[in-house]
């Protein structure tokens, strides 16, 4: 029996490239972002198509969607419609002087993100 271990980038490493895809101020599809990011991280076809253990969704797509959600709570992006996102002025400001990684520590400087994290922990 062959066991395949796949190493996907952590969500904190996905967030900045996801935000950068929207620097053109246009509306972007999450599915298109998934494809672009999978290419960026050089994921194989089997890694791209791997389904979550709980089923129903591709694992990497799940990470991209969750990364988008986190950026939304930090008000770096907004959802103009379901399955799409667009950068906000705050997101553009972050890209003007980007950190090496958009981790929770960096995002905690935004009050909306801190408020969401507190609510999430309750």
């Amino acid at each position: 029996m062959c066991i395949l271990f796949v190493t996907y980038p952590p969500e904190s490493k996905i967030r900045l490239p996801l935000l950068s895809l929207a620097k053109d101020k246009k509306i972007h599809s999450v599915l298109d972002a998934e494809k672009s990011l999978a290419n960026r991280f050089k994921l194989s076809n089997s890694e791209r198509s791997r389904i979550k253990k709980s089923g129903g969704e591709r694992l990497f797509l799940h990470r991209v969607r969750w990364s988008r959600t986190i950026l939304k709570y930090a008000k770096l992006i907004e959802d103009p419609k379901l399955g799409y996102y667009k950068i906000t002025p705050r997101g553009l400001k972050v890209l003007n002087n980007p950190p090496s990684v958009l981790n929770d520590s960096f995002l905690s400087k935004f009050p909306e993100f801190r408020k969401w994290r507190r609510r999430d922990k309750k």
Side-chain angles (χ1 to χ4, degrees):
M1 175 181 210
C2 178
I3 298 176
L4 176 65
F5 290 99
V6 178
T7 305
Y8 293 101
E11 290 163 6
S12 62
K13 297 274 187 187
I14 295 171
R15 296 173 195 163
L16 187 57
L18 180 64
L19 184 63
S20 294
L21 288 173
K23 68 184 171 192
D24 61 5
K25 303 178 188 176
K26 295 180 180 178
I27 295 173
H28 291 266
S29 159
V30 174
L31 293 176
D32 288 343
E34 176 208 13
K35 289 175 193 171
S36 178
L37 293 169
N39 288 334
R40 176 188 172 97
F41 291 110
K42 297 177 176 48
L43 299 181
S44 69
N45 286 336
S46 63
E47 290 168 331
R48 292 173 192 223
S49 60
R50 187 164 184 178
I51 302 295
K52 287 175 30 184
K53 287 182 182 178
S54 60
E57 184 178 36
R58 293 186 311 276
L59 183 56
F60 188 66
L61 175 59
H62 176 76
R63 287 192 179 200
V64 171
R65 284 182 173 158
W66 188 241
S67 297
R68 187 202 76 203
T69 297
I70 291 168
L71 294 176
K72 184 174 78 171
Y73 280 110
K75 302 291 185 194
L76 301 181
I77 63 169
E78 59 190 12
D79 291 345
K81 58 184 178 177
L82 187 63
Y84 292 81
Y85 72 101
K86 182 180 179 185
I87 199 164
T88 63
R90 180 184 283 176
L92 287 168
K93 188 174 180 182
V94 166
L95 289 180
N96 284 335
N97 188 21
S100 57
V101 65
L102 284 177
N103 57 22
D104 287 1
S105 177
F106 177 85
L107 295 175
S108 289
K109 71 182 192 176
F110 303 115
E112 299 88 350
F113 181 78
R114 288 193 311 270
K115 181 180 177 184
W116 172 70
R117 292 296 290 176
R118 279 194 306 271
R119 188 186 76 219
D120 189 45
K121 290 180 181 179
K122 289 181 181 179

